[in-house]
Amino acid sequence: MVPKMMRAIAAFQTLPIRDEASLQDVWLPVPTPRPNDVLVKILAISVNPVDVRIRHALHGQKRPHVLGFDAVGEIVQLGVDVRDFTVGDRVFYFGSTQRPGSNAEYQLVDYRLIAKAPQRLTLGQTAALPMTAVTAWELLFERMSIPAAAHATHGSMLVINAAGGVGSILVQLAQWAGLDVIAVASRVNWPWLQKYGIHKLADYHSDLTPQVQALGYDMVDYIATLYDPVPYFGAIADLIAPMGHVGSIVATDDSLPVAWLKNKSVSLDWEYVFSKSDYAYQMATQGQILQRLSALLDAGALRSTIAYNFHGINARNLRQAQAMLETKNTIGKITLQAPFDGEAKALDDIVWKDPQSYADETLVAFPSRRPDDGDRRAGTDSGQRHLVHPTGRPSDRGKDRQH
Amino acid sequence: MVPKMMRAIAAFQTLPIRDEASLQDVWLPVPTPRPNDVLVKILAISVNPVDVRIRHALHGQKRPHVLGFDAVGEIVQLGVDVRDFTVGDRVFYFGSTQRPGSNAEYQLVDYRLIAKAPQRLTLGQTAALPMTAVTAWELLFERMSIPAAAHATHGSMLVINAAGGVGSILVQLAQWAGLDVIAVASRVNWPWLQKYGIHKLADYHSDLTPQVQALGYDMVDYIATLYDPVPYFGAIADLIAPMGHVGSIVATDDSLPVAWLKNKSVSLDWEYVFSKSDYAYQMATQGQILQRLSALLDAGALRSTIAYNFHGINARNLRQAQAMLETKNTIGKITLQAPFDGEAKALDDIVWKDPQSYADETLVAFPSRRPDDGDRRAGTDSGQRHLVHPTGRPSDRGKDRQH
């Protein structure tokens, strides 16, 4: 029996993470599935840097923002159009930016975005993976054109920021596909990477090019940048092989001299794991990728990247987890496991007064960088001033300069 | 019987194209094949914007620079390791930047870079194609991951600068592969594109986004930029579909705000047709692509993009052809057809005095933009000042910002 109200952890405005009001235990109505939704009772969640970024971008407002993407839980209700799943299924997913998040006892999610959870992993091991593993999968096997099968390719890959959440699973997937992986991380995190079978290591505090050459490589076929690409872009241009792929998941406000990649015919491949759900484009592939990952995890071909697990999903633990992420020194993933045991405030105590509207409309406030955003058009980034925008009449220079 | 000396057209220094000394008829020794070379008697050539760029980058020196890439001709000598070709074969190719060019009666070329010429085309029609067609092929089918077969895919492609040398063949190849092509060109060149079956047209003098929308597209799956990408980058970011590919062949000194492409998980694919020969990497694929193009041309699936043909390969005609390219208003390709009939100067009349060294060593002076070039390290481009280069210790900001 699904109750009418549920515990959740909400943010209302941007506050320092040590402020108890930054993330608060609240009661909210349990939402009702739309035709493509399943209602999931949450058993464990993880935190991601994107949660911190969203919290930092909140404007003061009266509705609660429920953060959280990664989740593992049990289906308790089905929308009328749901296929392939049934009540009682244990599923894992990371949802979308368009709906309330997983930091709540119950969550709605489109069934095309989910998969059955691996059976041999703990709840924490499972909750650690969905967003980072799908990010890594899409980057390698959709964006960078690497075949998605065991030992399907060969060649070398440099992974910058390999010990982080995405990096720890990406290095495993790259090895599974047949690539020779060189990982860049702080020396203190080298044992963490060696645990996952990565033995070619470089120190991010020193120049990359001589370190990679000392490992026996003049150039590498693929480079994954899981870190601001700006400080590494010179080394990337030096080290990438002709016809290589540079995959990046971290946006930068700075412009990049991408023509440095031209004479080697290199591709710069962006990966943003919410592209599919934000644009309602190829959404079912999100669930399909999770299903393949689930099978690989059960088969032991991949291992969970969980590093820390909190027992009890509540505002205090979530503030602690986000504080850890804010240090930017964590490795692997941080998870929180049910029960939801926060000392939730009564509804009258919180500023938000309109419970019925919550289930339908409240979205997380995501700091989007879509091209139609005003902040781009403002052209305040100094790196943009060479560009004519909005697109005007091109000048005569450059025409037919194709060779 | 191969003679000892041959006519050629040479440049010695950068001069205005109307100066008769900018390109001169000369006599040079006929070179001798190395093991992988064939010696080709040139029957027709074409000019490309890269010839103009190289001429503009010459420093005064005593050796002749023989420009020219595209060629069709007949094999007259074989190196000892040559396979698949024999004396008398008619071949077409565009060579490499590393050796003397095709503006000479005889030229050496590595047999892995050539293919048998189409049989149903004239010499001019054939000479027009090699470099531009391979550029278009590699961009579409290697860099942008479009399947290389007739009707193999669907989706939409915007082609910026579609009436130029590369554009005129690229739009045909894109249609052959199954894509719905929207071409951007000056209105005066629309009939040229309609001749190749392109009927969705946009004017490069006006904003692209409303024009593409008026044709019925919110976004397009692929964008090929065959023009300086800077003035178009805002429209490109607006119009590209999620998971789309933006392919570019024109380098820019300006940095680009490539993170505008991030939230749609878009790839920016560079194509530079000399990557393979400059880096001695996958060289045989250059000949293989030409062989496929040759078959498609003979089958009528592609048509030559020749627009102007000069009879007589000599300095006067070549200066005229380069002057036309310098106007940046040409469509399609400009070719020159044998005989070599210039009034060549006697050897004593030209500044270069060491004929024996020519065949071994004279290279075209190509204005390379490889990452190891000093001009990049100098950091004089204002767009580069945000970047730490050579790669230094990254700052702490950005770490673990993967989501």
Side-chain angles (χ1 to χ4, degrees), chain B residues 75-88:
Chain B
I75 294 178
V76 293
Q77 274 186 7
L78 300 172
V80 293
D81 291 338
V82 170
R83 296 180 299 170
D84 307 327
F85 295 96
T86 189
V87 169

Side-chain angles (χ1 to χ4, degrees), chain B residues 98-150:
Chain B
Q98 310 298 306
R99 308 182 73 175
S102 58
N103 298 345
E105 276 186 286
Y106 294 90
Q107 183 188 16
L108 293 178
V109 61
D110 189 299
Y111 80 99
R112 293 169 292 182
L113 304 180
I114 71 176
K116 282 166 194 162
Q119 295 175 19
R120 299 182 177 215
L121 273 62
T122 66
L123 289 172
Q125 288 171 338
T126 304
L129 288 170
M131 182 189 290
T132 54
V134 172
T135 299
W137 184 285
E138 290 186 348
L139 181 64
L140 297 174
F141 305 131
E142 295 185 344
R143 304 289 93 72
M144 298 176 84
S145 300
I146 297 164

Side-chain angles (χ1 to χ4, degrees), chain B residues 12-27:
Chain B
F12 295 86
Q13 57 184 309
T14 300
L15 292 169
I17 195 63
R18 305 213 176 275
D19 187 323
E20 292 201 352
S22 61
L23 291 166
Q24 304 177 41
D25 295 301
V26 297
W27 286 96

Side-chain angles (χ1 to χ4, degrees), chain A residues 48-51 53 131-132 135 138 142-143 145 161 164-167 189 204-209 219 221 226-238 241-243 245 248-252 254-276 278-279 281-282 328-330 366-372 376-377 382-403, chain B residues 48-51 53 131-132 135 138 142-143 145 161 164-167 189 204-209 219 221 226-238 241-243 245 248-276 278-279 281-282 328-330 366-372 376-377 382-403:
Chain A
N48 285 289
V50 69
D51 296 309
R53 289 221 306 277
M131 182 189 290
T132 53
T135 299
E138 290 185 347
E142 294 186 344
R143 305 288 93 74
S145 301
N161 193 21
V166 173
N189 294 333
Y204 90 100
H205 292 288
S206 304
D207 287 355
L208 287 189
T209 304
M219 296 190 281
D221 302 296
L226 314 175
Y227 190 97
D228 179 357
V230 170
Y232 289 105
F233 203 71
I236 288 168
D238 284 340
M243 280 67 89
H245 283 261
S248 178
I249 65 169
V250 181
T252 170
D254 296 310
S255 290
L256 289 173
V258 276
W260 291 359
L261 305 176
K262 184 214 167 202
N263 275 15
K264 290 184 187 169
S265 293
V266 167
S267 288
L268 177 66
D269 303 304
W270 286 110
E271 159 62 16
Y272 177 60
V273 80
F274 295 115
S275 294
K276 291 174 180 173
D278 281 359
Y279 290 91
Y281 198 86
Q282 301 179 345
K328 299 178 180 173
N329 285 320
T330 53
F366 190 69
S368 171
R369 290 262 180 77
R370 291 189 211 168
D372 55 355
R376 193 196 64 181
R377 295 188 187 273
S382 52
Q384 295 180 18
R385 77 200 185 299
H386 297 297
L387 295 161
V388 178
H389 192 273
T391 310
R393 173 175 166 175
S395 66
D396 281 340
R397 81 188 170 89
K399 181 153 187 292
D400 256 332
R401 289 196 339 203
Q402 63 267 51
H403 280 298
Chain B
N48 285 289
V50 68
D51 295 308
R53 289 222 303 280
M131 182 189 290
T132 54
T135 299
E138 290 186 348
E142 295 185 344
R143 304 289 93 72
S145 300
N161 194 19
V166 173
N189 294 334
Y204 90 99
H205 291 288
S206 304
D207 286 357
L208 287 189
T209 304
M219 296 189 281
D221 302 297
L226 314 176
Y227 191 96
D228 181 356
V230 170
Y232 289 105
F233 203 70
I236 288 168
D238 284 339
M243 279 68 90
H245 283 261
S248 179
I249 65 169
V250 182
T252 170
D253 289 336
D254 296 310
S255 289
L256 288 173
V258 277
W260 292 359
L261 304 177
K262 183 210 169 205
N263 276 15
K264 291 184 187 170
S265 293
V266 167
S267 289
L268 177 65
D269 304 304
W270 286 109
E271 159 61 16
Y272 177 59
V273 79
F274 294 115
S275 294
K276 290 173 181 174
D278 280 359
Y279 290 92
Y281 199 86
Q282 301 180 347
K328 298 178 181 172
N329 285 320
T330 53
F366 190 66
S368 170
R369 291 260 180 77
R370 291 190 212 167
D372 54 355
R376 192 195 65 179
R377 295 190 188 273
S382 52
Q384 295 180 18
R385 78 200 184 296
H386 297 297
L387 295 160
V388 179
H389 192 271
T391 312
R393 172 176 168 174
S395 66
D396 283 333
R397 80 189 171 90
K399 183 156 186 290
D400 257 331
R401 288 197 336 204
Q402 62 264 50
H403 282 297

